Amino acid sequence: MSKTAILTDSASDIPRDLEEKYGIDILPFQIVVDGQSYTERVDFTNEQYYEMLEKAKDIPKTSQVTMTRFLEKFCAYADEGYDDLIFVSINSAGSNTYEAACMAAAALKDERPDASMRVHVVDSHTYSMTYGWHVCEAARKLQSGADVPSVVQYLEDAFSRMEVMLSMYTLRFVKKSGRVSAAAAFAGELLGLRPIINMIDDGTTTIAKVRGDNNVMPGLVEQTKKRLAPGGVYLVGGTDEGNIKMLVKLCKKEMGYAPAGTFLLGAAVATNTGPNAVAIVFEGEKRR
């Protein structure tokens, strides 16, 4: 039988239980908080990172997975006799991780000239469980006997549909990260306005604003319903388990069916949103 591995990076925010269930290999990002370097998924939990964010003096900095690290990983798989390796990357527009993986795939031929392993590098064009969920689905398909070309095609098709609807209860962190101008953040806080942000591929658009915390979740659901494909997959995420449960309940009522899963936002997204965010990731209409 063909031997295939599936690999992704830690910005996929795949929960531990799904990581273990499907045997997914996850390369962690390095993140620097106030001069101290940490390894995501190793040195802190998501909840611990939210506490670190609250106390951080400066915006933490995340480092891409390097070409050298990828090459080491690819060589290890080749040495173990794998026929195929599928790597799914964080949005290439927001990180050079995708490019580093492509460079490592090309260099593998020089490092292991006798290896026949094929490396398939897939750009998710997105963040968090928006692609993490489909990495899990790809692993499930492989376990069920699907061939590699069909799984890669599945991923490409899925990523041409996925979107994010995101909001947060404070604009302090998006102001610090530069995602929202200081003037807009100040006005938003003064007036109690909360942005509803739609993320599609490389674009981030504030498509609505709601007044007050109580309207954040209804606003998210309202905007998601406008773009959700009929019967499309959606998941609910955030930085607080209580908020996630409330959003799930509202989504089930408004969508008519439950989300496929829930998740906590990891360091890559939470660094920009802050530890007070909620999100719905969902399948929209096909774009490409």
Side-chain angles (χ1 to χ4, degrees):
M1 292 180 63
S2 177
K3 193 175 180 182
T4 304
I6 191 157
L7 175 70
T8 190
D9 53 61
S10 58
S12 61
D13 293 343
I14 295 172
R16 293 284 186 186
D17 59 332
L18 295 182
E19 173 190 2
E20 295 170 1
K21 178 179 180 180
Y22 294 116
I24 297 166
D25 196 358
I26 299 177
L27 279 172
F29 284 117
Q30 298 297 122
I31 188 161
V32 177
V33 183
D34 291 339
Q36 179 67 45
S37 182
Y38 300 91
T39 302
E40 189 175 12
R41 298 179 78 94
V42 175
D43 293 331
F44 52 75
T45 64
N46 287 321
E47 292 88 348
Q48 288 170 334
Y49 185 69
Y50 306 151
E51 293 182 14
M52 292 164 64
L53 264 181
E54 287 281 11
K55 299 174 182 177
K57 298 176 182 178
D58 300 310
I59 292 293
K61 293 180 173 58
T62 303
S63 301
Q64 69 180 60
V65 181
T66 65
M67 181 265 198
T68 300
R69 182 72 185 92
F70 274 119
L71 186 55
E72 291 173 351
K73 177 66 72 171
F74 293 174
C75 285
Y77 275 116
D79 292 343
E80 291 174 23
Y82 278 82
D83 300 293
D84 291 273
L85 171 64
I86 301 172
F87 170 67
V88 184
S89 168
I90 185 176
N91 189 351
S92 63
S95 171
N96 290 326
T97 297
Y98 171 81
E99 182 67 23
C102 291
M103 292 170 61
L108 180 63
K109 297 174 183 177
D110 294 327
E111 287 291 319
R112 296 292 188 273
D114 296 328
S116 59
M117 185 181 75
R118 296 170 290 271
V119 180
H120 312 267
V121 182
V122 181
D123 183 358
S124 73
H125 299 283
T126 189
Y127 305 91
S128 191
M129 273 290 275
T130 322
Y131 69 101
W133 173 258
H134 291 290
V135 171
C136 294
E137 281 294 288
R140 184 190 63 77
K141 288 177 180 292
L142 289 170
Q143 288 181 357
S144 299
D147 60 77
V148 171
S150 70
V151 169
V152 171
Q153 180 58 47
Y154 159 78
L155 289 168
E156 296 282 6
D157 181 71
F159 299 148
S160 71
R161 304 171 186 269
M162 295 303 290
E163 302 183 26
V164 182
M165 207 66 71
L166 171 74
S167 190
M168 60 287 298
Y169 292 99
T170 175
L171 302 181
R172 179 162 58 99
F173 290 88
V174 289
K175 179 179 72 173
K176 287 172 66 177
S177 69
R179 301 286 175 168
V180 172
S181 71
F186 175 77
E189 293 285 16
L190 187 66
L191 298 172
L193 298 177
R194 305 290 180 256
I196 306 297
I197 299 170
N198 186 214
M199 300 174 67
I200 302 176
D201 294 337
D202 306 338
T204 300
T205 306
T206 299
I207 60 173
K209 294 178 182 178
V210 297
R211 190 179 296 276
D213 292 349
N214 290 338
N215 290 316
V216 167
M217 291 186 192
L220 271 183
V221 175
E222 178 186 358
Q223 296 301 325
T224 299
K225 284 178 67 178
K226 293 178 181 179
R227 302 189 60 85
L228 178 67
V233 169
Y234 75 94
L235 297 94
V236 171
T239 54
D240 179 87
E241 291 286 4
N243 283 339
I244 290 172
K245 289 178 180 178
M246 285 191 288
L247 186 52
V248 165
K249 184 177 180 179
L250 182 60
C251 283
K252 288 172 68 176
K253 177 182 176 182
E254 296 296 325
M255 311 299 191
Y257 59 101
T262 62
F263 62 97
L264 288 170
L265 294 172
V269 175
T271 295
N272 293 295
T273 66
N276 301 101
V278 283
I280 304 173
V281 305
F282 61 95
E283 181 184 5
E285 299 298 330
K286 189 177 176 69
R287 298 183 296 277
R288 58 180 184 275

